Amino acid sequence: MAKKAKKGAKTEEETLLFLQQKAEAEERMLVQSLKDKLQTENTNSAVNLLHLNEGWRSILRQNREAQVHKHVNVLSETSQTQLDGLDHVITCLERDLREAERQSAQVRRLHLQHIERLWAQQEKRLTVLQQHWEKNLQHLSAGLHTERKQMLDLSRQQRADLEDAKFTVEQQHKEVMDEIQRLYSQSTASLQSDHEHRMNALVREGEMAMTDRTRHHQEGLHLHRREGKELDELVVKNQEYVRMRDKSMENIKELQDKVFQFRVKQNSGKAGQETMEQDLTAATGDVNQKSRKLRDQQTRDRAGSRRRIVNLTAQFHDATRRLQAVVAKGERILRVAEMCRKQENVFTTSAEDDQRSVTEEEAAEEACEFADIRQATRRFNGALLQRAALTRRREELSRDNRQLRLLLRQRLEAMAASDHALALDRPLPTVHRAPTAAAPPLESDRRHGPVEAALVVTHAL
Amino acid sequence: MTSKSPCPPESNLRGPDACRNMRRIIAEDPLWSLAIVPSLSDLCLQSIVGHFEGNPIFEQLTPVQKDFIQESLSPSLPLSVTANLIGDGVYWRRCCEQRWDLCDVSNYGHSWKRMFLERRLQGIIELFMPDVTDPKTVLEMVPHCRNHVKRLDISQLLPPLKEEVEYGSELTIDNEYDGVSMDHFDFGILLDKLTGLEELHLVYRVQQCGLNFEWKMFEMTARDCESLAKALKSCKTLKLLRLHQSHIEDIKCRMLVKHLLDHPSLRELDFSHNLIGDRGARAIGKLLTRSKLKTLNLCDNNITDPGAKAIAHALSKNSTLLSLNLRLNRLRDEGGQALGEALLSNNTLRHLHLGGNEVTGPTAIALSKVLVQNSTLKSINLSCNNLGEDGGKALEEAMSHKTSITECDLRLTEVDEQIVSFINQMVWANQSLERKQQAQDKKPSVDPSSPSS
């Protein structure tokens, strides 16, 4: 039953579709017909339009013909005149152009000619200058060449001359050098021998002098020592004398007191005056004897001292003389040494100039000799110094001598005076100091002390 | 002017009397001095100088006196008196320097007299106005300068004065007949009388025309040409003729050449900067065969191929021409090639100038063939021609052979730089060879002891 329903539906659908299709076909037909109609209408309208335009144009043409003709004429005339004008302008320009071309050609030609002329002149000038320059160059080179030649010849000549001169000078030089060498060798030999001799003699002398001097020194030293000892003894003696004097002073004082006492006693008791006086006289006699003894002693001592002084002075003189001799010798030795040194120097310098190898040994020998000489010189220097010292000492000793002499004189005077006075006032002897000599220099100051003390003492007395 | 006191210095001691007696004398002659009384001979010489015109005494004097007179003679004396009497020297120098500012005597063979006379004559001719100036002014100069004038370099020739154009036509017809007798100075009256003239330079132009410029002033007319040609023929000693920039066309050229044929002494011809065309060139070719020209200058004319061919034809037969200048013409390749072929058979030409002739490659190729073969051609100038690559290569190939070229100008020829440099190298090599050869030729005459530079 369903299939039949469906088949029925299908046939209904088919009829519907068929109907629709029919309707559409009809519509289409209608549309088509309408379009055709429209088209025909359009064409008709276009045709009508064209007709209308044509008609309008012909009418317009007919109206405007005359006007247009006139315009055309006018325009053609004006264009013609313009053309004529332009043609004229063109011809004028052409003419001007030709003129200008001609002028420019003229100008260019003239310019070309001028340039060529200037160029020719420049060339001419350049060639002239070049010729001038080359001429000058040749001239200069020729001149220089000749000069060079001259210079070469001159130089060659001069060189030849120089060689000749050089040769002669060399010859002379050789001769002179040989002579010089000969002389030099001679002189050096002689000088060396002399030198050696002198050196030996000097050395010997020096040695002898040295030994003498040493001996003298030693003797002097001995003498000095002895005199020193004597001086000490004398000093001691002086001191003793001083002590003795003091003692005697004291004794004197005591005696005086005693005298006073005696006087008193005398005054008080005249009875025992004579004995007392005898005692006194005995005492005074004793005292006088003592004083006389002391005086004798003193005189003896003085004489001894004077003798010693004299001896010393003589010895000193001898010593000084010897010293002077030694000094002289030493100076001589020094001078000789200096000479030796100078000669040595000369020798060394001359040795250096001539033959160093030969004189090296000589220099060594001389050095050894010079060492001895140096020792000798050192000794000489020492001797000189000692001489100086000795002179100083001598001076001092002489000074002391003088002082002592003065003192001695004073003392003698005083003694002379006191001899008279001693009888009464001064019974006590004055102690004279023996002038000391050859005392060590260091005690010189101290020596003055006792001397001055003695003076003071005597004066005080 | 000198002012000198007449009294010697010692006179100052005299006092007020001396001051009164002292006067200042101002002498106009610097040589005058009161102390030195001029000698009688000096006075005589001064009077001679003063009256030289009337009584020219010169020959009888001693050289010292002659020098004095030359120093003091007035330069404005007429030439009739002085020209034949006073020889070359200071007087003529003074005349020159008085008249002209620039005096370069080396251009005149170091002769002041020649300079003065030549320049004087040139001046007269240059200022000669036809029909106004009397020709006698020229002619009376002639006997004085005959012996000394060797060159005339005339730089202007005045045209006749332009008469006012009358409006009456009858009169104009009359005027045409009674026109000017000569358009410019007629050389016929002069050239045959100048017996020593060797060079003649002419330009038909006016200097300093100002606002009166006309092209006619720069043109030579036919009548002038005729008279000049006849005059040139009559001058038998002329060696150089230079007629440039005078608007000479073929006709005038032919006329001139016609009269110059077989001229006995003409050696140099210069028609440069004119308007000579082919016919004129043909005439000149004929002249080449019938005279002994050594130098021909046709620079800046209108010669084209036919003219060149004519000249080339003459060249092939010629044996005297040494230098040919065809610069700034319009020879083009045909003319150039013709010349090249002619040169193959010519062996006297030394200098050839073909600059600016619109010549291109083929001409260069033709000339290169000549270079290989020819041994007398020394200088060749092809500047301002568009030779191009082919031309350049041909020339390079030619120069690689042993040639005698010592000058080769290839400026503005569009030839390759390398080629130009190569050619230049070859040219320099040739130059040095030539110099060595010259030095060797000179050597035997040089003293062997002196060094060579």
Side-chain angles (χ1 to χ4, degrees), chain B residues 93-105 112 115 119:
Chain B
R93 180 183 182 148
R94 284 171 54 226
C95 293
C96 289
E97 279 168 3
Q98 188 214 36
R99 208 173 260 275
W100 304 295
D101 287 328
L102 210 62
C103 298
D104 186 6
V105 81
W112 291 98
M115 180 160 133
R119 275 180 96 159

Side-chain angles (χ1 to χ4, degrees), chain A residues 335-385:
Chain A
R335 258 183 262 129
V336 164
E338 276 182 20
M339 277 167 60
C340 291
R341 242 182 283 128
K342 275 182 203 160
Q343 277 185 350
E344 186 199 327
N345 287 338
V346 165
F347 282 153
T348 50
T349 51
S350 62
E352 280 167 10
D353 282 338
D354 291 336
Q355 295 152 357
R356 288 177 198 238
S357 60
V358 176
T359 51
E360 268 177 27
E361 300 160 20
E362 290 180 341
E365 288 172 30
E366 283 169 353
C368 303
E369 291 172 344
F370 283 151
D372 295 335
I373 288 170
R374 271 189 219 116
Q375 282 179 22
T377 50
R378 264 185 246 126
R379 275 181 244 156
F380 288 147
N381 288 335
L384 275 171
L385 286 167

Side-chain angles (χ1 to χ4, degrees), chain A residues 99 102-103 105-110 112-114 116-117 121 124 137-138 141-142 145 149, chain B residues 104 106-107 205 213 215 218-219 242 244-245 247 273-275 299-300 327-328 449 451 453:
Chain A
E99 279 282 321
R102 196 174 171 189
Q103 279 179 17
Q106 179 90 340
V107 162
R108 246 182 257 135
R109 252 182 243 132
L110 282 170
L112 187 68
Q113 283 179 33
H114 286 317
E116 276 176 359
R117 218 173 76 184
Q121 201 152 7
K124 196 174 100 174
L137 195 68
Q138 262 200 357
S141 63
H145 192 75
K149 260 197 192 171
Chain B
D104 186 6
S106 60
N107 288 335
R205 70 161 179 234
F213 176 78
W215 280 112
F218 293 83
E219 289 172 15
R242 183 162 172 244
H244 61 284
Q245 204 165 350
H247 204 81
H273 305 290
N274 284 307
L275 301 169
C299 159
D300 192 18
R327 181 174 156 206
L328 293 170
S449 67
S453 57

